[in-house]
């Protein structure tokens, strides 16, 4: 199994009241599954994704990726594991403003030591496949929202992850840009990568094989 989420819970406190932003969620994903998660604002989708991506520690429960329980690893090991297996596309714009598109894409690769390997050719190939080679030397300030989002997707792919996680990859984009993003994500799925995306958009969810619905921290039918 690529991903196993078991009895996952995250509790937060608001004023004096404790509540579960994610409440006892379990599901699994096979290699090359494409799953979307939908639910109202505040239903816990980002909290769930952040725990699956190893960015947030759960109050209770387990996340296993390729047989490794993320929360049994120390901080350094989690970072190395994420870098190798996971591609994460966060909500909104996440590019570093002082780096070019090419430098942003290559950044995750350069964060871990890889002897005698370069990410340059692969980064150029990714740009070509996404039909945005013209952006290679551009800075984020000079790109459209859709272009920035596509660069963030390519950045998530540079280490050739087995699982790509995307939080609202098409939010705030027009129909044409959304379609370009989804074509890129559908292509990643075609190449054999597992995809887990959070979306508000029924059309976007329509690209996935299965939709999980969240309400008040729980999965509902
Ligand atoms: N660090 C935090 N401390 C306290 N409460 C939090 C924290 N992070 C999130 N929450 C609360 O947990 C609930 C779930 O938030 P989350 O961001 O996961 O929802 P979401 O479904 O992703 O919403 P949206 O669609 O608006 O992005 C919300 O009620 C939110 O206010």
């Amino acid at each position: 199994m690529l991903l196993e989420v078991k009895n996952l819970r995250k509790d937060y406190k608001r004023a004096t009241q404790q509540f579960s932003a994610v409440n006892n969620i379990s599901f699994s994903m096979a290699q090359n599954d494409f799953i979307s998660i939908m639910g109202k604002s505040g239903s816990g989708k980002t909290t769930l994704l952040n725990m699956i991506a190893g960015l947030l520690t759960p109050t209770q429960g387990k996340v296993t990726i390729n047989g490794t329980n993320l929360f049994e690893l120390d901080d350094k090991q989690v970072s190395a594991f994420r870098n190798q297996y996971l591609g994460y596309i966060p909500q909104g714009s996440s590019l570093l403003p002082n780096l070019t598109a090419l430098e942003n894409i290559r950044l995750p690769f350069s964060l871990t030591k890889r002897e005698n390997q370069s990410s340059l050719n692969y980064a150029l190939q990714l740009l070509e496949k996404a039909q945005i080679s013209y952006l290679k030397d551009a800075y984020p300030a000079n790109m459209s929202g859709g272009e920035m989002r596509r660069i963030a997707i390519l950045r998530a792919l540079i280490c050739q992850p087995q699982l790509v996680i995307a939080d609202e990859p098409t939010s705030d984009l027009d129909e044409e840009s959304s379609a370009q993003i989804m074509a890129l994500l559908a292509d990643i799925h075609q190449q054999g990568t597992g995809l887990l995306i959070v979306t508000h958009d029924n059309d976007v969810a329509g690209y996935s094989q299965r939709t999980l619905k969240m309400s008040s921290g729980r999965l509902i039918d």
Side-chain angles (χ1 to χ4, degrees), residues 102 105-126 157-160:
L102 190 59
I105 293 169
R106 296 178 69 190
L107 188 65
F109 192 92
S110 58
L111 291 178
T112 51
K113 239 194 159 133
R114 292 173 167 89
E115 301 281 324
N116 302 322
Q117 285 185 52
S118 160
S119 59
L120 179 61
N121 283 341
Y122 190 51
L124 292 172
Q125 270 176 40
L126 287 171
L157 297 178
I158 192 69
C159 298
Q160 308 196 6

Side-chain angles (χ1 to χ4, degrees), residues 12-140:
Y12 285 125
K13 224 177 192 171
R14 183 170 293 136
T16 54
Q17 200 77 2
Q18 183 162 304
F19 71 101
S20 300
V22 167
N23 196 350
N24 204 30
I25 284 190
S26 301
F27 70 94
S28 56
M29 249 180 102
Q31 308 283 343
N32 200 24
D33 263 355
F34 182 175
I35 293 182
S36 56
I37 301 174
M38 296 190 84
K40 278 198 247 172
S41 182
S43 58
K45 305 179 301 293
T46 297
T47 306
L48 175 64
L49 275 201
N50 285 342
M51 289 192 282
I52 293 171
L55 295 167
L56 188 65
T57 310
T59 306
Q60 199 182 294
K62 231 162 102 166
V63 173
T64 309
I65 295 173
N66 271 338
T68 299
N69 180 357
L70 282 189
F71 305 108
E72 279 171 0
L73 306 176
D74 65 30
D75 282 356
K76 219 171 148 190
Q77 289 171 322
V78 171
S79 300
F81 188 86
R82 292 183 61 225
N83 195 275
Q84 187 178 355
Y85 291 101
L86 287 179
Y88 185 62
I89 304 156
Q91 217 168 14
S93 84
S94 59
L95 301 181
L96 293 185
N98 54 339
L99 298 184
T100 65
L102 190 59
E103 289 165 347
N104 264 290
I105 293 169
R106 296 178 69 190
L107 188 65
F109 192 92
S110 58
L111 291 178
T112 51
K113 239 194 159 133
R114 292 173 167 89
E115 301 281 324
N116 302 322
Q117 285 185 52
S118 160
S119 59
L120 179 61
N121 283 341
Y122 190 51
L124 292 172
Q125 270 176 40
L126 287 171
L127 278 162
E128 202 172 308
K129 209 155 100 187
Q131 299 177 347
I132 45 177
S133 296
Y134 62 91
L135 288 175
K136 177 165 75 79
D137 299 316
Y139 287 90

Side-chain angles (χ1 to χ4, degrees), residues 140-160:
N142 303 327
M143 297 177 199
S144 72
E147 288 170 342
M148 281 194 262
R149 215 57 76 78
R150 279 184 284 169
I151 298 295
I153 293 174
L154 302 188
R155 181 184 57 186
L157 297 178
I158 192 69
C159 298
Q160 308 196 6

